[in-house]
Amino acid sequence: MSIIFNKNIQTASIIITILIFIGSCKPKTKQTVRQQPKPTVTPLTSDFVFGDDRDFAQAHASTLVRTNDGNFLVAWFGGTHEKHDDVGIWLTKGNAGNFSRPVEVAKIREDAHWNPVLFKEASGDIILYFKVGKTIDNWETWWIRTTDNGATWSAPAELVAGDKGGRGPVRNKPITLADGSLLSGSSKETNKVWDAFVDRSTDNGKTWTKSEFLPLDRTAIEGEGIIQPTLWESAPDKVHMLLRSSAGAICRSDSEDGGVTWSPVYKTSLPNPNSGIDVVKLPGGMLALAFNNTSGNWGSRSPLSLGVSTDNGLTWPTIVDIDKGTEEEEFSYPAIIQYGDTVAVTYTWKRQKIAFKSFLVKN
């Protein structure tokens, strides 16, 4: 009896093993992976901030800020052409379809003026930074202030007395960190050797402290280098920047200590033709980036595009064109700000005009 019983147990074990093996060979049911929807970008308004009747031949490098009364201040440098001694800083106020006639708000002396940057302080006062100098290598940073939404401006003053080479914001707006400090993306251009750094102020812009140049491997980032950082803070002390570069790609660096020190510069997946970019952080953490979606050192500045990221700039699943034309046409040097879920962008339009557009950005 025990022999028969043992044989029955062995037979049952074999059958169970076979059934388990057969079950494991059945095709598995596919699990549905729900893809996250891409952010959407909806055009809202489009305009030029001035018409054909103007007091300058060319306009470039715009900046904008939204005032407390719901209008926009837009500034740029204008004159015969970039680098010409008659170039000054011009400004208009209004909204799409209703911008005021431009006025020259800054002309320190008969040297070229460059790269205005508008920044609204927590108090509501607005600062206009700009560069002055015959060459970029030795330009100076100046500033003026308005307390009445651009109706009147203070006398100009140097940001850092005696500086030659450009302290403070070089092209893009500063940001206010979680601890209240101001952080400004800066860069140095000397003899076609470009380096980037940040300037920090802990006393609301009265004094500034310069960081070291960002660590840069010039065998990986070929050409002139990196300039014109655009910044955002993802969490307290975690600050990031994207940079214009000569390497055919937008570059990036990150800081874990509020911008005191920075990681080595590295390329992102986004192209860059050695032209200006600007980024802004939206409520909820999305990023909106205005950039030329082309590559190559001194490549085409068409099209100008708007990218949206939901993962702190690691990927940009939504990219739409802001403006485009032939390879020879220029739509460049964007400035971007946000208010709620709307972004406003200004940019150079063929060196002839400054365009203004706004977009609704939804996730």
Side-chain angles (χ1 to χ4, degrees):
M1 286 292 295
S2 63
I3 295 174
I4 296 173
F5 182 75
N6 289 335
K7 286 183 177 180
N8 289 338
I9 291 176
Q10 291 174 355
T11 301
S13 298
I14 293 170
I15 293 172
I16 291 172
T17 300
I18 293 172
L19 290 174
I20 291 173
F21 174 77
I22 292 173
S24 67
C25 293
K26 290 182 180 180
K28 295 181 180 179
T29 303
K30 290 184 178 180
Q31 294 184 352
T32 302
V33 178
R34 179 177 294 180
Q35 291 184 343
Q36 294 295 323
K38 290 184 178 181
T40 59
V41 176
T42 304
L44 297 178
T45 61
S46 179
D47 195 14
F48 293 112
V49 303
F50 54 82
D52 295 329
D53 180 18
R54 58 190 188 265
D55 299 314
F56 43 84
Q58 290 193 2
H60 188 42
S62 63
T63 177
L64 78 162
V65 71
R66 193 165 186 256
T67 60
N68 290 337
D69 59 10
N71 286 301
F72 296 91
L73 294 180
V74 182
W76 61 93
F77 69 74
T80 300
H81 57 75
E82 185 175 356
K83 301 182 182 180
H84 198 279
D85 285 348
D86 68 2
V87 173
I89 306 300
W90 294 78
L91 181 131
T92 183
K93 181 179 179 179
N95 258 296
N98 188 32
F99 281 103
S100 63
R101 184 176 178 83
V103 295
E104 192 176 44
V105 293
K107 185 62 177 171
I108 304 302
R109 59 179 185 265
E110 289 305 304
D111 282 341
H113 287 40
W114 322 62
N115 292 11
V117 176
L118 286 163
F119 173 69
K120 185 163 70 173
E121 298 178 327
S123 66
D125 290 0
I126 295 170
I127 308 296
L128 175 58
Y129 303 96
F130 55 96
K131 308 297 188 190
V132 180
K134 290 193 179 298
T135 65
I136 295 174
D137 298 52
N138 293 297
W139 61 15
E140 309 147 10
T141 306
W142 290 72
W143 63 275
I144 54 178
R145 175 191 300 270
T146 180
T147 60
D148 52 15
N149 294 322
T152 60
W153 293 86
S154 67
E158 284 190 83
L159 186 71
V160 178
D163 169 63
K164 300 289 184 181
R167 295 287 301 278
V170 64
R171 203 201 76 84
N172 295 311
K173 57 194 174 297
I175 61 172
T176 304
L177 301 182
D179 66 3
S181 300
L182 298 182
L183 202 64
S184 169
S186 306
S187 52
K188 175 75 172 177
E189 303 176 44
T190 304
N191 298 325
K192 297 184 179 181
V193 177
W194 297 354
D195 285 290
F197 63 99
V198 295
D199 248 326
R200 172 191 298 276
S201 176
T202 58
D203 54 9
N204 201 34
K206 294 178 182 177
T207 60
W208 295 83
T209 301
K210 176 184 176 183
S211 76
E212 298 293 328
F213 287 146
L214 269 64
L216 179 63
D217 179 358
R218 293 189 179 273
T219 63
I221 311 299
E222 298 179 347
E224 294 92 336
I226 50 171
I227 53 173
Q228 301 173 356
T230 178
L231 308 171
W232 77 96
E233 185 179 34
S234 60
D237 288 334
K238 297 185 182 299
V239 190
H240 317 274
M241 69 166 67
L242 298 177
L243 300 117
R244 168 182 170 177
S245 88
S246 57
I250 291 176
C251 290
R252 177 168 171 163
S253 182
D254 307 283
S255 173
E256 298 289 330
D257 54 13
V260 177
T261 61
W262 292 86
S263 70
V265 174
Y266 57 98
K267 295 179 185 179
T268 72
S269 61
L270 293 173
N272 183 243
N274 200 342
S275 186
I277 61 176
D278 198 12
V279 74
V280 70
K281 181 181 172 183
L282 282 74
M286 282 195 302
L287 301 175
L289 171 70
F291 70 108
N292 286 114
N293 195 14
T294 57
S295 190
N297 193 13
W298 304 109
S300 173
R301 294 181 172 184
S302 174
L304 181 69
S305 302
L306 182 67
V308 183
S309 173
T310 59
D311 57 8
N312 201 38
L314 298 179
T315 62
W316 301 85
T318 297
I319 297 178
V320 300
D321 286 340
I322 298 172
D323 212 335
K324 61 182 178 180
T326 66
E327 287 187 4
E328 292 73 29
E329 291 178 314
E330 179 175 352
F331 310 98
S332 70
Y333 265 58
I336 186 169
I337 61 171
Q338 64 82 214
Y339 46 105
D341 52 11
T342 300
V343 297
V345 182
T346 59
Y347 59 94
T348 297
W349 189 87
K350 302 181 182 180
R351 294 276 174 154
Q352 300 171 23
K353 296 182 179 180
I354 300 299
F356 171 96
K357 294 187 178 183
S358 62
F359 303 87
L360 181 69
V361 181
K362 290 283 191 179
N363 191 9

